């Protein structure tokens, strides 16, 4: 090898390492729990960018001295799955925030929740995980933060949404009622906007008692003492062709909410939500041209009739035999609802399919 | 420039960048709030170490897609000061853990708390900071987690311990009584051990009501709604000549605690404390040869008399004129306490100093 090559190699190495040094002194590093064993040497870590280099070196010394046995570890900063990203609270055993990106493609498909099971997240250090047992008979449902229905395009993505890292103890009626309608609303935004970004999570707000002190109060459930949030939030950003158009932040109490309430009743300023959660949600978003979501869109949730039609449609879709199909369809009459054209066609198609399936089954039985 | 040099440069750059890639895929990066503006491009971030490279690349894509507007930001992972390191909870506006290293040198010196002032931490994003006003007339004291007295060797280090990032709303009597004695105990360990590492912080534990559900309940104070912890913890590790010898974990309720209680009444298993806080405190510590602190040492806190002597000694030390000196000394008689040799010498020395100071003052007055 020529000395010129070696000089060049050295310069290249030096130049890129210098870049890397500058880059690295500007970011924090957290070793994940999995990495800790690989990470026996205390790695350089950092420090506000406004401090001069020299002081950073002193700080490194200070850190090495004080944190000789490692940096107190709260687990990974965030976890990435096939179709959602979340931060996890190891003390409360629920997520802090769960981020998603919805578009017309990924909310459709054949992935089905009947193939998914709730279970502890294998990425989370076991002792900090919630368990199904914690929820069992607790009086609280396992409420998805990133809903199963947002992962229809991919069964694996849907399965990952059933990890308990994506779940909080949620009031049953809220979960299957208002919150479900809210989730449907977010999915339907993909019909109007090219991209919808949603961040969902729990929040713990104080009761403001008259004249008394403000008190935060929440139950913890199961042996694992999983925290039951007082409220749930969603930050919803709608984009058209890569451009952010409209944003809404909503805080919903974790209790039954009837059809008399509107989504607009739960609007909060993004800043307020950020202060209550301690999270800045979209740090790189320039808000200057972004309008309030409920001004650009109606923020209309399905009415009682619309929602019941939706539920019956889903039951028709999921029916596995003619009994189930007719039972679901008969609810229309009981509830005095009129099927729309889509539903009539769906019913007819499903009826044919299931009759065929039945015939096939009877034939197979005879042949045995 | 020769083509050989250029080839060399390119190879050097490539080789080092490849190393950096491998290194970076094994760590997380969090841009600090201060850095965000410099960090306009979404940087590669990562992923459990047990995943193959290829999947990591997919995850990077997923992350870029979902977190187009940045990673939801909870502030820096931790903050480094001259003599303590802490993690901060932007929602609760109090620290999560505060780590210190004590030795015989740094707990002595002339730094004085009268030069220090409580104030919001300039490193914390303002809207997530506690304010003195939040504490004012709240009924709660500003309780240092890393105590001022652990920074005697350096006034700047002591000043930094008065940032409200190092403070929680603490019961007054607990703060000035039991907790103060606990802090003195930790400092005194440096007489017996070469190094003492202490991690201190707040914890929020549920009330276990009979048959009822477990409920976490705590007040929040001020406009900023600073959270008042139900309990405070300390993890204390004593070392001799670089070797960890003994460890104790303690959880103390945030309320008045009398002289009838012993420190040993508040011992908890380290694992339990870790599960309640969600923090693994000393991830690199090998516990196999580490004994329980209160077996190696007495864990004896000062008795009422010893503690009052200590307080009077401090008042003698801080006296700025003869009036203050005599007033402090007269407390001995009132409380029926006998001064020890150290105190008698201290009193005599201070009396001479202050008499000289008084004479000098009188002379200056005459000359004017």
């Amino acid at each position: 090898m020529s000395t010129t090559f070696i000089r060049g190699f050295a310069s290249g190495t030096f130049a890129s390492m210098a870049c890397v040094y500058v880059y690295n002194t500007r970011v924090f590093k957290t070793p994940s729990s999995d990495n800790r064993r690989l990470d026996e040497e205390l790695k350089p870590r950092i420090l506000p960018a406004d401090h001069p280099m020299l002081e950073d070196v002193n700080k490194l010394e200070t850190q090495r001295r004080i944190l000789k046995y490692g940096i107190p570890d709260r687990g990974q900063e965030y976890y990435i799955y096939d179709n959602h990203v979340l931060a996890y609270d190891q003390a409360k055993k629920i997520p802090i925030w769960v981020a998603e990106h919805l578009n017309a493609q990924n909310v459709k498909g054949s992935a089905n929740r009947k193939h998914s099971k709730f279970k502890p997240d294998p990425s989370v250090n076991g002792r900090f995980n919630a368990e199904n047992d914690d929820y069992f008979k607790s009086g609280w449902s396992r409420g998805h933060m990133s809903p199963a229905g947002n992962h229809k395009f991919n069964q694996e993505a849907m399965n990952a949404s059933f990890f308990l890292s994506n779940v909080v103890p949620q009031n049953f009626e809220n979960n299957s009622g208002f919150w479900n309608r809210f989730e449907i609303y977010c999915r339907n935004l993909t019909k109007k906007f090219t991209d919808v970004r949603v961040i969902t999570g729990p929040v713990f707000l104080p009761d403001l008692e008259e004249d008394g002190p403000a008190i935060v109060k929440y139950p913890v459930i199961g042996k694992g003492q999983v925290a039951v949030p007082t409220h749930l939030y969603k930050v919803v950003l709608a984009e058209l062709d890569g451009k952010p158009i409209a944003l809404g932040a909503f805080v919903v109490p974790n209790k039954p909410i009837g059809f008399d309430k509107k989504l607009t009743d739960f609007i909060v300023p993004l800043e307020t939500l950020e202060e209550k959660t301690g999270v800045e949600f979209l740090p790189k978003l320039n808000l200057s041209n972004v309008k309030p979501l409920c001004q650009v869109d109606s923020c209309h949730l399905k009415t009682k009739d619309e929602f019941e039609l939706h539920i019956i449609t889903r039951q028709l879709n999921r029916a596995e035999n003619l009994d189930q199909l007719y039972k679901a369809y008969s609810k229309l009459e009981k509830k005095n609802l009129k099927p729309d054209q889509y539903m009539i066609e769906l019913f007819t198609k499903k009826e044919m399919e299931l009759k065929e399936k039945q015939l096939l089954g009877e034939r197979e039985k005879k042949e045995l």
Side-chain angles (χ1 to χ4, degrees), chain A:
Chain A
M1 228 182 284
S2 78
T3 50
T4 318
F5 178 87
I6 291 168
R7 267 193 292 128
F9 186 91
S11 310
T13 305
F14 177 79
S16 42
M17 279 309 184
C19 296
V20 166
Y21 179 73
V22 170
Y23 173 75
N24 278 350
T25 55
R26 300 204 162 273
V27 291
F28 269 94
K29 304 195 186 63
T30 321
S32 80
S33 327
D34 292 306
N35 293 333
R36 187 136 358 87
R37 269 153 285 133
L38 302 167
D39 180 49
E40 277 311 308
E41 245 272 276
L42 195 62
K43 296 242 178 67
R45 274 147 220 284
I46 290 307
L47 345 140
D50 52 355
H51 283 252
M53 271 318 173
L54 199 67
E55 199 178 333
D56 286 359
V57 173
N58 286 342
K59 288 206 169 185
L60 256 178
E61 280 308 305
T62 307
Q63 178 182 332
R64 261 183 241 257
R65 180 169 71 81
I66 296 175
L67 301 179
K68 179 179 167 190
Y69 297 104
I71 300 161
D73 184 8
R74 293 187 283 146
Q76 289 183 194
E77 194 202 348
Y78 56 99
Y79 297 83
I80 305 169
Y81 305 87
D82 287 305
N83 193 38
H84 68 290
V85 181
L86 63 81
Y88 184 73
D89 186 327
Q90 295 193 155
K92 294 203 173 83
K93 298 181 172 173
I94 53 177
I96 297 163
W97 54 258
V98 183
E100 307 172 84
H101 167 232
L102 317 183
N103 59 30
Q105 286 74 55
N106 61 19
V107 300
K108 275 185 220 149
S110 61
N112 192 322
R113 58 187 298 151
K114 78 179 176 190
H115 304 304
S116 305
K117 276 200 178 71
F118 285 108
K119 58 179 155 189
D121 187 334
S123 310
V124 170
N125 182 340
R127 51 199 281 232
F128 299 118
N129 239 324
E131 304 279 344
N132 281 323
D133 271 357
D134 293 324
Y135 286 85
F136 185 62
K137 286 190 176 170
S138 69
W140 298 89
S141 70
R142 289 168 293 191
H144 280 81
M145 293 293 91
S146 166
N150 290 4
H151 304 276
K152 289 233 183 78
F153 74 115
N154 182 324
Q155 187 65 46
E156 278 208 42
M158 186 181 283
N159 292 350
S161 80
F162 281 75
F163 289 151
L164 294 173
S165 55
N166 178 44
V167 163
V168 307
Q170 187 175 9
N171 171 275
F172 277 95
E173 197 180 316
N174 178 297
N175 193 358
S176 60
F178 188 89
W179 194 255
N180 191 357
R181 288 155 65 215
F182 188 7
E183 289 171 344
I184 294 165
Y185 169 74
C186 293
R187 271 196 291 277
N188 282 342
L189 281 173
T190 61
K191 292 176 185 167
K192 206 162 165 177
F193 296 95
T194 48
D195 300 272
V196 179
R197 290 170 209 282
V198 185
I199 304 178
T200 309
V203 51
F204 295 80
L205 299 180
D207 271 341
L208 290 164
E209 283 157 32
E210 228 177 294
D211 282 338
I215 307 270
V216 175
K217 195 176 162 182
Y218 59 90
V220 293
I221 60 171
K223 212 178 146 218
Q225 300 194 334
V226 180
V228 181
T230 62
H231 294 72
L232 303 168
Y233 69 81
K234 267 189 197 290
V235 176
V236 183
L237 177 70
E239 281 179 86
L240 263 180
D241 304 322
K243 209 170 152 281
I245 302 294
L247 180 132
F250 307 88
V251 171
V252 175
N254 189 7
K255 60 185 189 190
I257 296 170
F259 287 93
D260 53 321
K261 292 281 185 186
K262 295 176 200 147
L263 184 53
T264 50
D265 296 336
F266 301 101
I267 295 174
V268 294
L270 181 64
E271 283 247 324
T272 306
L273 177 59
E274 291 187 330
E275 277 156 36
K276 297 307 168 206
T277 54
V279 182
E280 206 178 337
F281 291 105
L282 299 150
K284 293 181 181 186
L285 179 65
N286 177 353
L287 281 164
S288 59
N289 288 314
V290 177
K291 296 205 170 115
L293 181 65
C294 301
Q295 276 176 29
V296 173
D297 187 77
S298 66
C299 280
H300 164 80
L301 300 190
K302 284 187 189 299
T303 60
K304 194 163 189 291
D305 284 1
E306 286 166 348
F307 186 56
E308 284 184 343
L309 276 176
H310 169 88
I311 298 290
I312 293 169
T313 306
R314 207 164 62 179
Q315 288 167 345
L316 293 179
N317 248 317
R318 287 183 188 167
E320 292 186 347
N321 54 51
L322 286 168
D323 261 11
Q324 285 177 11
L325 188 78
Y326 294 141
K327 199 176 158 194
Y329 204 72
S330 71
K331 284 185 189 165
L332 287 171
E333 206 176 345
K334 271 186 220 155
K335 300 196 181 228
N336 205 17
L337 295 168
K338 276 187 192 148
D340 54 17
Q341 193 53 35
Y342 173 80
M343 196 184 262
I344 295 169
E345 282 168 20
L346 174 67
F347 175 79
T348 317
K349 184 171 144 255
K350 279 292 270 189
E351 194 182 27
M352 266 175 58
E353 274 174 26
L354 293 172
K355 275 184 175 165
E356 235 168 85
K357 193 180 155 192
Q358 202 178 32
L359 273 174
L360 212 73
E362 280 165 11
R363 213 172 297 158
E364 275 170 5
K365 255 189 214 162
K366 270 186 204 159
E367 282 167 11
L368 276 173

